[in-house]
Amino acid sequence: MPRAGLDPAAVVAAGAALADEVGFAALSMGQLAERVGVRTPSLYKHVVNQEDLNRRIAALALAEAADAVGAATQGRAGRDALAAAARAFRDFVLTHPGRYAATIGVEPTGPDDPIAVSGSRLLVAFTAVLRGYDLAPHDLDHALRALRSSFHGFATLQSAHGFQWSADVDDSFEWLIDLVDRGLRTTASRQTGRRPGPDRAAAAPGAGGHGARARTPLA
Amino acid sequence: MPRAGLDPAAVVAAGAALADEVGFAALSMGQLAERVGVRTPSLYKHVVNQEDLNRRIAALALAEAADAVGAATQGRAGRDALAAAARAFRDFVLTHPGRYAATIGVEPTGPDDPIAVSGSRLLVAFTAVLRGYDLAPHDLDHALRALRSSFHGFATLQSAHGFQWSADVDDSFEWLIDLVDRGLRTTASRQTGRRPGPDRAAAAPGAGGHGARARTPLA
DNA sequence: AGCTCAAAGCTACTGTTGTTAGCCATGGCC
DNA sequence: GGCCATGGCTAACAACAGTAGCTTTGAGCT
């Protein structure tokens, strides 16, 4: 019985590919073992357990997404850069739905966690897009979150077949890009201070109480 | 041994509550059975299997979300309606993360599936918001998808602790609402035809081989 | 060449979870 | 008071994640 010549990177790459095929939720150690030509327990020589595998797949996906978005924005600015970044991001999610799903809900264990490093790189790639707009410095974080929310939301909904009525999905995505572009271009001189409104307190019951403030300084 | 007096609705409600507490991925039949005071196999007298339970939880969540968003927009218009709908939606997702997660990825089996019915109601609630903006009729679907993507993306990312750096998350959400509002207000006379760009094809490497292509006509 | 030994594979096993089969008690209804 | 659909139960199976402990490989050293 010859050795399979595996190493952690090969296992993770195969796991990511398998997740893309069968869906992240359906990824199992048994299937992965069969895929790489080995019995299930042998996988544990390369990854500590399934959660570790998931985290490594997530780190890989974030790094690849950062590369794709970063490459797409090279030499572009303004709306061109925004559209290129958005399309590159969505294309990545649609062609690699399983590994991207692995990134949802993972939390880096610290600033040196590959998940944090690659996640930061992805954010930096999106930040480059914002340089083409005339934003006040204290609006950058908000704009970054808005970008990420919009494109993440669209890509994951489409990936999950969430758009089931008739209008063309690609047209809708271009429309979203335009919406964000117009919103960002009309932002410049705005004040972002929270306006005092009576319904703010009423609308935020604060049931959760899990404030995400001040965790790891990612950006 | 007295009867527990269960019925499908009670099982689903308990399952939704449990999912909110422990997370949708960690929802198990055993835990749910213990929660409702019954042995695991007895649950199968009320739901056909776990997937059926998930679908029923999803339908419940969509109905509740539709109610919340619909109620929030009553008597409001324009930016007020948009902000109220957005806050109601995010509050629902944050206070009921487990049951909302159940809605991601479910596909209705047909137009009479409760998932489709409640999903449509939620979309109708968001459509009411769009009446306050001066949109061309053929932009309505695109605008609806943009709304849903943005708020869904923000709420799910926040629910998954996806925002880990320092800026205040509530401020970011208000900022997103403003961004969408400005984008919608400047939409009125735009053309939505896709502009031809050379990078559309180049940005899709198709590495996976199980392409998402041809689901919707790409060109 | 032959030895060494850590790394990488294996079989056998445990505990957990979803699910089915088949049995028995409950309690509303005539 | 008896009927019987309903809802509960125990016992079992299959799939899965993970552990223990053994064997084999093969690269590096003498």
mmCIF file with all atom_site columns, all heavy atoms in Angstrom, chain B residues 115-139:
data_model
loop_
_atom_site.group_PDB
_atom_site.id
_atom_site.type_symbol
_atom_site.label_atom_id
_atom_site.label_alt_id
_atom_site.label_comp_id
_atom_site.label_asym_id
_atom_site.label_entity_id
_atom_site.label_seq_id
_atom_site.pdbx_PDB_ins_code
_atom_site.Cartn_x
_atom_site.Cartn_y
_atom_site.Cartn_z
_atom_site.occupancy
_atom_site.B_iso_or_equiv
_atom_site.pdbx_formal_charge
_atom_site.auth_seq_id
_atom_site.auth_comp_id
_atom_site.auth_asym_id
_atom_site.auth_atom_id
_atom_site.pdbx_PDB_model_num
ATOM 1   N N   . ILE B 1 115 ? -43.460 28.321 2.402   1.00 0.00 ? 115 ILE B N   1
ATOM 2   C CA  . ILE B 1 115 ? -42.241 29.107 2.263   1.00 0.00 ? 115 ILE B CA  1
ATOM 3   C C   . ILE B 1 115 ? -42.395 30.146 1.168   1.00 0.00 ? 115 ILE B C   1
ATOM 4   O O   . ILE B 1 115 ? -42.010 31.312 1.332   1.00 0.00 ? 115 ILE B O   1
ATOM 5   C CB  . ILE B 1 115 ? -41.051 28.171 1.967   1.00 0.00 ? 115 ILE B CB  1
ATOM 6   C CG1 . ILE B 1 115 ? -40.719 27.355 3.218   1.00 0.00 ? 115 ILE B CG1 1
ATOM 7   C CG2 . ILE B 1 115 ? -39.842 28.955 1.510   1.00 0.00 ? 115 ILE B CG2 1
ATOM 8   C CD1 . ILE B 1 115 ? -39.694 26.286 2.981   1.00 0.00 ? 115 ILE B CD1 1
ATOM 9   N N   . ALA B 1 116 ? -42.966 29.754 0.053   1.00 0.00 ? 116 ALA B N   1
ATOM 10  C CA  . ALA B 1 116 ? -43.165 30.694 -1.040  1.00 0.00 ? 116 ALA B CA  1
ATOM 11  C C   . ALA B 1 116 ? -44.170 31.772 -0.648  1.00 0.00 ? 116 ALA B C   1
ATOM 12  O O   . ALA B 1 116 ? -43.989 32.956 -0.937  1.00 0.00 ? 116 ALA B O   1
ATOM 13  C CB  . ALA B 1 116 ? -43.633 29.947 -2.289  1.00 0.00 ? 116 ALA B CB  1
ATOM 14  N N   . VAL B 1 117 ? -45.240 31.356 0.028   1.00 0.00 ? 117 VAL B N   1
ATOM 15  C CA  . VAL B 1 117 ? -46.283 32.313 0.400   1.00 0.00 ? 117 VAL B CA  1
ATOM 16  C C   . VAL B 1 117 ? -45.730 33.368 1.358   1.00 0.00 ? 117 VAL B C   1
ATOM 17  O O   . VAL B 1 117 ? -45.881 34.576 1.138   1.00 0.00 ? 117 VAL B O   1
ATOM 18  C CB  . VAL B 1 117 ? -47.475 31.563 1.039   1.00 0.00 ? 117 VAL B CB  1
ATOM 19  C CG1 . VAL B 1 117 ? -48.502 32.550 1.563   1.00 0.00 ? 117 VAL B CG1 1
ATOM 20  C CG2 . VAL B 1 117 ? -48.112 30.624 0.023   1.00 0.00 ? 117 VAL B CG2 1
ATOM 21  N N   . SER B 1 118 ? -45.068 32.903 2.425   1.00 0.00 ? 118 SER B N   1
ATOM 22  C CA  . SER B 1 118 ? -44.540 33.858 3.400   1.00 0.00 ? 118 SER B CA  1
ATOM 23  C C   . SER B 1 118 ? -43.393 34.671 2.813   1.00 0.00 ? 118 SER B C   1
ATOM 24  O O   . SER B 1 118 ? -43.244 35.859 3.111   1.00 0.00 ? 118 SER B O   1
ATOM 25  C CB  . SER B 1 118 ? -44.068 33.112 4.648   1.00 0.00 ? 118 SER B CB  1
ATOM 26  O OG  . SER B 1 118 ? -45.162 32.458 5.259   1.00 0.00 ? 118 SER B OG  1
ATOM 27  N N   . GLY B 1 119 ? -42.588 34.022 1.983   1.00 0.00 ? 119 GLY B N   1
ATOM 28  C CA  . GLY B 1 119 ? -41.516 34.761 1.324   1.00 0.00 ? 119 GLY B CA  1
ATOM 29  C C   . GLY B 1 119 ? -42.060 35.886 0.473   1.00 0.00 ? 119 GLY B C   1
ATOM 30  O O   . GLY B 1 119 ? -41.536 37.012 0.488   1.00 0.00 ? 119 GLY B O   1
ATOM 31  N N   . SER B 1 120 ? -43.126 35.605 -0.239  1.00 0.00 ? 120 SER B N   1
ATOM 32  C CA  . SER B 1 120 ? -43.748 36.646 -1.054  1.00 0.00 ? 120 SER B CA  1
ATOM 33  C C   . SER B 1 120 ? -44.276 37.775 -0.181  1.00 0.00 ? 120 SER B C   1
ATOM 34  O O   . SER B 1 120 ? -44.151 38.952 -0.528  1.00 0.00 ? 120 SER B O   1
ATOM 35  C CB  . SER B 1 120 ? -44.886 36.052 -1.880  1.00 0.00 ? 120 SER B CB  1
ATOM 36  O OG  . SER B 1 120 ? -44.399 35.110 -2.803  1.00 0.00 ? 120 SER B OG  1
ATOM 37  N N   . ARG B 1 121 ? -44.845 37.410 0.958   1.00 0.00 ? 121 ARG B N   1
ATOM 38  C CA  . ARG B 1 121 ? -45.354 38.459 1.848   1.00 0.00 ? 121 ARG B CA  1
ATOM 39  C C   . ARG B 1 121 ? -44.235 39.377 2.311   1.00 0.00 ? 121 ARG B C   1
ATOM 40  O O   . ARG B 1 121 ? -44.414 40.598 2.426   1.00 0.00 ? 121 ARG B O   1
ATOM 41  C CB  . ARG B 1 121 ? -46.047 37.826 3.054   1.00 0.00 ? 121 ARG B CB  1
ATOM 42  C CG  . ARG B 1 121 ? -47.481 37.400 2.775   1.00 0.00 ? 121 ARG B CG  1
ATOM 43  C CD  . ARG B 1 121 ? -48.141 36.863 4.043   1.00 0.00 ? 121 ARG B CD  1
ATOM 44  N NE  . ARG B 1 121 ? -47.969 37.729 5.174   1.00 0.00 ? 121 ARG B NE  1
ATOM 45  C CZ  . ARG B 1 121 ? -47.724 37.331 6.415   1.00 0.00 ? 121 ARG B CZ  1
ATOM 46  N NH1 . ARG B 1 121 ? -47.612 36.048 6.682   1.00 0.00 ? 121 ARG B NH1 1
ATOM 47  N NH2 . ARG B 1 121 ? -47.586 38.209 7.376   1.00 0.00 ? 121 ARG B NH2 1
ATOM 48  N N   . LEU B 1 122 ? -43.072 38.795 2.603   1.00 0.00 ? 122 LEU B N   1
ATOM 49  C CA  . LEU B 1 122 ? -41.943 39.633 3.009   1.00 0.00 ? 122 LEU B CA  1
ATOM 50  C C   . LEU B 1 122 ? -41.519 40.557 1.876   1.00 0.00 ? 122 LEU B C   1
ATOM 51  O O   . LEU B 1 122 ? -41.244 41.749 2.080   1.00 0.00 ? 122 LEU B O   1
ATOM 52  C CB  . LEU B 1 122 ? -40.776 38.738 3.444   1.00 0.00 ? 122 LEU B CB  1
ATOM 53  C CG  . LEU B 1 122 ? -39.492 39.451 3.869   1.00 0.00 ? 122 LEU B CG  1
ATOM 54  C CD1 . LEU B 1 122 ? -39.756 40.431 4.999   1.00 0.00 ? 122 LEU B CD1 1
ATOM 55  C CD2 . LEU B 1 122 ? -38.426 38.443 4.295   1.00 0.00 ? 122 LEU B CD2 1
ATOM 56  N N   . LEU B 1 123 ? -41.502 40.012 0.666   1.00 0.00 ? 123 LEU B N   1
ATOM 57  C CA  . LEU B 1 123 ? -41.130 40.853 -0.470  1.00 0.00 ? 123 LEU B CA  1
ATOM 58  C C   . LEU B 1 123 ? -42.146 41.958 -0.686  1.00 0.00 ? 123 LEU B C   1
ATOM 59  O O   . LEU B 1 123 ? -41.786 43.097 -0.997  1.00 0.00 ? 123 LEU B O   1
ATOM 60  C CB  . LEU B 1 123 ? -41.015 39.984 -1.730  1.00 0.00 ? 123 LEU B CB  1
ATOM 61  C CG  . LEU B 1 123 ? -39.820 39.030 -1.723  1.00 0.00 ? 123 LEU B CG  1
ATOM 62  C CD1 . LEU B 1 123 ? -39.803 38.207 -2.997  1.00 0.00 ? 123 LEU B CD1 1
ATOM 63  C CD2 . LEU B 1 123 ? -38.520 39.796 -1.573  1.00 0.00 ? 123 LEU B CD2 1
ATOM 64  N N   . VAL B 1 124 ? -43.422 41.642 -0.507  1.00 0.00 ? 124 VAL B N   1
ATOM 65  C CA  . VAL B 1 124 ? -44.458 42.658 -0.657  1.00 0.00 ? 124 VAL B CA  1
ATOM 66  C C   . VAL B 1 124 ? -44.246 43.774 0.364   1.00 0.00 ? 124 VAL B C   1
ATOM 67  O O   . VAL B 1 124 ? -44.397 44.962 0.054   1.00 0.00 ? 124 VAL B O   1
ATOM 68  C CB  . VAL B 1 124 ? -45.855 42.026 -0.494  1.00 0.00 ? 124 VAL B CB  1
ATOM 69  C CG1 . VAL B 1 124 ? -46.912 43.098 -0.315  1.00 0.00 ? 124 VAL B CG1 1
ATOM 70  C CG2 . VAL B 1 124 ? -46.179 41.164 -1.710  1.00 0.00 ? 124 VAL B CG2 1
ATOM 71  N N   . ALA B 1 125 ? -43.861 43.375 1.575   1.00 0.00 ? 125 ALA B N   1
ATOM 72  C CA  . ALA B 1 125 ? -43.632 44.390 2.601   1.00 0.00 ? 125 ALA B CA  1
ATOM 73  C C   . ALA B 1 125 ? -42.502 45.337 2.189   1.00 0.00 ? 125 ALA B C   1
ATOM 74  O O   . ALA B 1 125 ? -42.565 46.550 2.420   1.00 0.00 ? 125 ALA B O   1
ATOM 75  C CB  . ALA B 1 125 ? -43.317 43.724 3.934   1.00 0.00 ? 125 ALA B CB  1
ATOM 76  N N   . PHE B 1 126 ? -41.473 44.779 1.581   1.00 0.00 ? 126 PHE B N   1
ATOM 77  C CA  . PHE B 1 126 ? -40.382 45.647 1.124   1.00 0.00 ? 126 PHE B CA  1
ATOM 78  C C   . PHE B 1 126 ? -40.799 46.446 -0.108  1.00 0.00 ? 126 PHE B C   1
ATOM 79  O O   . PHE B 1 126 ? -40.357 47.585 -0.308  1.00 0.00 ? 126 PHE B O   1
ATOM 80  C CB  . PHE B 1 126 ? -39.133 44.821 0.814   1.00 0.00 ? 126 PHE B CB  1
ATOM 81  C CG  . PHE B 1 126 ? -38.266 44.586 2.014   1.00 0.00 ? 126 PHE B CG  1
ATOM 82  C CD1 . PHE B 1 126 ? -38.017 43.296 2.478   1.00 0.00 ? 126 PHE B CD1 1
ATOM 83  C CD2 . PHE B 1 126 ? -37.688 45.647 2.694   1.00 0.00 ? 126 PHE B CD2 1
ATOM 84  C CE1 . PHE B 1 126 ? -37.214 43.076 3.594   1.00 0.00 ? 126 PHE B CE1 1
ATOM 85  C CE2 . PHE B 1 126 ? -36.879 45.436 3.813   1.00 0.00 ? 126 PHE B CE2 1
ATOM 86  C CZ  . PHE B 1 126 ? -36.646 44.148 4.258   1.00 0.00 ? 126 PHE B CZ  1
ATOM 87  N N   . THR B 1 127 ? -41.650 45.857 -0.939  1.00 0.00 ? 127 THR B N   1
ATOM 88  C CA  . THR B 1 127 ? -42.110 46.577 -2.120  1.00 0.00 ? 127 THR B CA  1
ATOM 89  C C   . THR B 1 127 ? -42.856 47.852 -1.727  1.00 0.00 ? 127 THR B C   1
ATOM 90  O O   . THR B 1 127 ? -42.760 48.886 -2.405  1.00 0.00 ? 127 THR B O   1
ATOM 91  C CB  . THR B 1 127 ? -43.038 45.680 -2.961  1.00 0.00 ? 127 THR B CB  1
ATOM 92  O OG1 . THR B 1 127 ? -42.350 44.478 -3.279  1.00 0.00 ? 127 THR B OG1 1
ATOM 93  C CG2 . THR B 1 127 ? -43.432 46.377 -4.248  1.00 0.00 ? 127 THR B CG2 1
ATOM 94  N N   . ALA B 1 128 ? -43.585 47.771 -0.598  1.00 0.00 ? 128 ALA B N   1
ATOM 95  C CA  . ALA B 1 128 ? -44.318 48.954 -0.146  1.00 0.00 ? 128 ALA B CA  1
ATOM 96  C C   . ALA B 1 128 ? -43.367 50.116 0.093   1.00 0.00 ? 128 ALA B C   1
ATOM 97  O O   . ALA B 1 128 ? -43.709 51.280 -0.158  1.00 0.00 ? 128 ALA B O   1
ATOM 98  C CB  . ALA B 1 128 ? -45.093 48.624 1.134   1.00 0.00 ? 128 ALA B CB  1
ATOM 99  N N   . VAL B 1 129 ? -42.164 49.800 0.561   1.00 0.00 ? 129 VAL B N   1
ATOM 100 C CA  . VAL B 1 129 ? -41.175 50.854 0.789   1.00 0.00 ? 129 VAL B CA  1
ATOM 101 C C   . VAL B 1 129 ? -40.836 51.555 -0.526  1.00 0.00 ? 129 VAL B C   1
ATOM 102 O O   . VAL B 1 129 ? -40.682 52.781 -0.580  1.00 0.00 ? 129 VAL B O   1
ATOM 103 C CB  . VAL B 1 129 ? -39.900 50.261 1.424   1.00 0.00 ? 129 VAL B CB  1
ATOM 104 C CG1 . VAL B 1 129 ? -38.763 51.258 1.394   1.00 0.00 ? 129 VAL B CG1 1
ATOM 105 C CG2 . VAL B 1 129 ? -40.185 49.804 2.841   1.00 0.00 ? 129 VAL B CG2 1
ATOM 106 N N   . LEU B 1 130 ? -40.740 50.767 -1.576  1.00 0.00 ? 130 LEU B N   1
ATOM 107 C CA  . LEU B 1 130 ? -40.279 51.324 -2.849  1.00 0.00 ? 130 LEU B CA  1
ATOM 108 C C   . LEU B 1 130 ? -41.306 52.259 -3.479  1.00 0.00 ? 130 LEU B C   1
ATOM 109 O O   . LEU B 1 130 ? -40.964 53.063 -4.349  1.00 0.00 ? 130 LEU B O   1
ATOM 110 C CB  . LEU B 1 130 ? -39.939 50.191 -3.816  1.00 0.00 ? 130 LEU B CB  1
ATOM 111 C CG  . LEU B 1 130 ? -38.738 49.343 -3.378  1.00 0.00 ? 130 LEU B CG  1
ATOM 112 C CD1 . LEU B 1 130 ? -38.515 48.198 -4.355  1.00 0.00 ? 130 LEU B CD1 1
ATOM 113 C CD2 . LEU B 1 130 ? -37.483 50.193 -3.274  1.00 0.00 ? 130 LEU B CD2 1
ATOM 114 N N   . ARG B 1 131 ? -42.564 52.137 -3.035  1.00 0.00 ? 131 ARG B N   1
ATOM 115 C CA  . ARG B 1 131 ? -43.578 53.040 -3.591  1.00 0.00 ? 131 ARG B CA  1
ATOM 116 C C   . ARG B 1 131 ? -43.270 54.494 -3.284  1.00 0.00 ? 131 ARG B C   1
ATOM 117 O O   . ARG B 1 131 ? -43.712 55.381 -4.000  1.00 0.00 ? 131 ARG B O   1
ATOM 118 C CB  . ARG B 1 131 ? -44.961 52.677 -3.051  1.00 0.00 ? 131 ARG B CB  1
ATOM 119 C CG  . ARG B 1 131 ? -45.711 51.691 -3.916  1.00 0.00 ? 131 ARG B CG  1
ATOM 120 C CD  . ARG B 1 131 ? -47.202 51.765 -3.650  1.00 0.00 ? 131 ARG B CD  1
ATOM 121 N NE  . ARG B 1 131 ? -47.521 51.314 -2.295  1.00 0.00 ? 131 ARG B NE  1
ATOM 122 C CZ  . ARG B 1 131 ? -47.698 50.037 -1.965  1.00 0.00 ? 131 ARG B CZ  1
ATOM 123 N NH1 . ARG B 1 131 ? -47.590 49.113 -2.887  1.00 0.00 ? 131 ARG B NH1 1
ATOM 124 N NH2 . ARG B 1 131 ? -47.978 49.693 -0.734  1.00 0.00 ? 131 ARG B NH2 1
ATOM 125 N N   . GLY B 1 132 ? -42.514 54.722 -2.231  1.00 0.00 ? 132 GLY B N   1
ATOM 126 C CA  . GLY B 1 132 ? -42.179 56.093 -1.876  1.00 0.00 ? 132 GLY B CA  1
ATOM 127 C C   . GLY B 1 132 ? -41.078 56.694 -2.733  1.00 0.00 ? 132 GLY B C   1
ATOM 128 O O   . GLY B 1 132 ? -40.708 57.854 -2.549  1.00 0.00 ? 132 GLY B O   1
ATOM 129 N N   . TYR B 1 133 ? -40.530 55.902 -3.642  1.00 0.00 ? 133 TYR B N   1
ATOM 130 C CA  . TYR B 1 133 ? -39.473 56.416 -4.515  1.00 0.00 ? 133 TYR B CA  1
ATOM 131 C C   . TYR B 1 133 ? -39.978 56.415 -5.946  1.00 0.00 ? 133 TYR B C   1
ATOM 132 O O   . TYR B 1 133 ? -40.848 55.627 -6.329  1.00 0.00 ? 133 TYR B O   1
ATOM 133 C CB  . TYR B 1 133 ? -38.201 55.571 -4.392  1.00 0.00 ? 133 TYR B CB  1
ATOM 134 C CG  . TYR B 1 133 ? -37.585 55.651 -3.013  1.00 0.00 ? 133 TYR B CG  1
ATOM 135 C CD1 . TYR B 1 133 ? -37.973 54.774 -1.999  1.00 0.00 ? 133 TYR B CD1 1
ATOM 136 C CD2 . TYR B 1 133 ? -36.643 56.631 -2.719  1.00 0.00 ? 133 TYR B CD2 1
ATOM 137 C CE1 . TYR B 1 133 ? -37.421 54.860 -0.731  1.00 0.00 ? 133 TYR B CE1 1
ATOM 138 C CE2 . TYR B 1 133 ? -36.082 56.720 -1.460  1.00 0.00 ? 133 TYR B CE2 1
ATOM 139 C CZ  . TYR B 1 133 ? -36.479 55.834 -0.469  1.00 0.00 ? 133 TYR B CZ  1
ATOM 140 O OH  . TYR B 1 133 ? -35.939 55.933 0.777   1.00 0.00 ? 133 TYR B OH  1
ATOM 141 N N   . ASP B 1 134 ? -39.393 57.256 -6.745  1.00 0.00 ? 134 ASP B N   1
ATOM 142 C CA  . ASP B 1 134 ? -39.896 57.443 -8.104  1.00 0.00 ? 134 ASP B CA  1
ATOM 143 C C   . ASP B 1 134 ? -39.167 56.507 -9.064  1.00 0.00 ? 134 ASP B C   1
ATOM 144 O O   . ASP B 1 134 ? -38.293 56.920 -9.821  1.00 0.00 ? 134 ASP B O   1
ATOM 145 C CB  . ASP B 1 134 ? -39.686 58.907 -8.508  1.00 0.00 ? 134 ASP B CB  1
ATOM 146 C CG  . ASP B 1 134 ? -40.345 59.221 -9.833  1.00 0.00 ? 134 ASP B CG  1
ATOM 147 O OD1 . ASP B 1 134 ? -41.316 58.521 -10.180 1.00 0.00 ? 134 ASP B OD1 1
ATOM 148 O OD2 . ASP B 1 134 ? -39.863 60.135 -10.531 1.00 0.00 ? 134 ASP B OD2 1
ATOM 149 N N   . LEU B 1 135 ? -39.535 55.223 -9.035  1.00 0.00 ? 135 LEU B N   1
ATOM 150 C CA  . LEU B 1 135 ? -38.814 54.241 -9.840  1.00 0.00 ? 135 LEU B CA  1
ATOM 151 C C   . LEU B 1 135 ? -39.599 53.870 -11.096 1.00 0.00 ? 135 LEU B C   1
ATOM 152 O O   . LEU B 1 135 ? -40.828 53.797 -11.064 1.00 0.00 ? 135 LEU B O   1
ATOM 153 C CB  . LEU B 1 135 ? -38.577 52.972 -9.021  1.00 0.00 ? 135 LEU B CB  1
ATOM 154 C CG  . LEU B 1 135 ? -37.700 53.136 -7.789  1.00 0.00 ? 135 LEU B CG  1
ATOM 155 C CD1 . LEU B 1 135 ? -37.634 51.835 -7.006  1.00 0.00 ? 135 LEU B CD1 1
ATOM 156 C CD2 . LEU B 1 135 ? -36.303 53.587 -8.183  1.00 0.00 ? 135 LEU B CD2 1
ATOM 157 N N   . ALA B 1 136 ? -38.857 53.635 -12.153 1.00 0.00 ? 136 ALA B N   1
ATOM 158 C CA  . ALA B 1 136 ? -39.496 53.106 -13.351 1.00 0.00 ? 136 ALA B CA  1
ATOM 159 C C   . ALA B 1 136 ? -39.977 51.684 -13.051 1.00 0.00 ? 136 ALA B C   1
ATOM 160 O O   . ALA B 1 136 ? -39.332 50.959 -12.294 1.00 0.00 ? 136 ALA B O   1
ATOM 161 C CB  . ALA B 1 136 ? -38.500 53.097 -14.513 1.00 0.00 ? 136 ALA B CB  1
ATOM 162 N N   . PRO B 1 137 ? -41.095 51.276 -13.635 1.00 0.00 ? 137 PRO B N   1
ATOM 163 C CA  . PRO B 1 137 ? -41.664 49.961 -13.308 1.00 0.00 ? 137 PRO B CA  1
ATOM 164 C C   . PRO B 1 137 ? -40.671 48.816 -13.513 1.00 0.00 ? 137 PRO B C   1
ATOM 165 O O   . PRO B 1 137 ? -40.609 47.893 -12.703 1.00 0.00 ? 137 PRO B O   1
ATOM 166 C CB  . PRO B 1 137 ? -42.839 49.843 -14.277 1.00 0.00 ? 137 PRO B CB  1
ATOM 167 C CG  . PRO B 1 137 ? -43.196 51.246 -14.621 1.00 0.00 ? 137 PRO B CG  1
ATOM 168 C CD  . PRO B 1 137 ? -41.924 52.029 -14.575 1.00 0.00 ? 137 PRO B CD  1
ATOM 169 N N   . HIS B 1 138 ? -39.865 48.896 -14.556 1.00 0.00 ? 138 HIS B N   1
ATOM 170 C CA  . HIS B 1 138 ? -38.961 47.769 -14.819 1.00 0.00 ? 138 HIS B CA  1
ATOM 171 C C   . HIS B 1 138 ? -37.754 47.789 -13.889 1.00 0.00 ? 138 HIS B C   1
ATOM 172 O O   . HIS B 1 138 ? -36.934 46.888 -13.917 1.00 0.00 ? 138 HIS B O   1
ATOM 173 C CB  . HIS B 1 138 ? -38.509 47.790 -16.278 1.00 0.00 ? 138 HIS B CB  1
ATOM 174 C CG  . HIS B 1 138 ? -37.617 48.936 -16.610 1.00 0.00 ? 138 HIS B CG  1
ATOM 175 N ND1 . HIS B 1 138 ? -38.093 50.201 -16.870 1.00 0.00 ? 138 HIS B ND1 1
ATOM 176 C CD2 . HIS B 1 138 ? -36.275 49.026 -16.705 1.00 0.00 ? 138 HIS B CD2 1
ATOM 177 C CE1 . HIS B 1 138 ? -37.094 51.014 -17.126 1.00 0.00 ? 138 HIS B CE1 1
ATOM 178 N NE2 . HIS B 1 138 ? -35.975 50.342 -17.022 1.00 0.00 ? 138 HIS B NE2 1
ATOM 179 N N   . ASP B 1 139 ? -37.651 48.797 -13.052 1.00 0.00 ? 139 ASP B N   1
ATOM 180 C CA  . ASP B 1 139 ? -36.577 48.821 -12.055 1.00 0.00 ? 139 ASP B CA  1
ATOM 181 C C   . ASP B 1 139 ? -37.024 48.226 -10.722 1.00 0.00 ? 139 ASP B C   1
ATOM 182 O O   . ASP B 1 139 ? -36.186 48.011 -9.837  1.00 0.00 ? 139 ASP B O   1
ATOM 183 C CB  . ASP B 1 139 ? -36.108 50.264 -11.809 1.00 0.00 ? 139 ASP B CB  1
ATOM 184 C CG  . ASP B 1 139 ? -35.174 50.739 -12.909 1.00 0.00 ? 139 ASP B CG  1
ATOM 185 O OD1 . ASP B 1 139 ? -34.693 49.889 -13.684 1.00 0.00 ? 139 ASP B OD1 1
ATOM 186 O OD2 . ASP B 1 139 ? -34.931 51.957 -12.991 1.00 0.00 ? 139 ASP B OD2 1
#
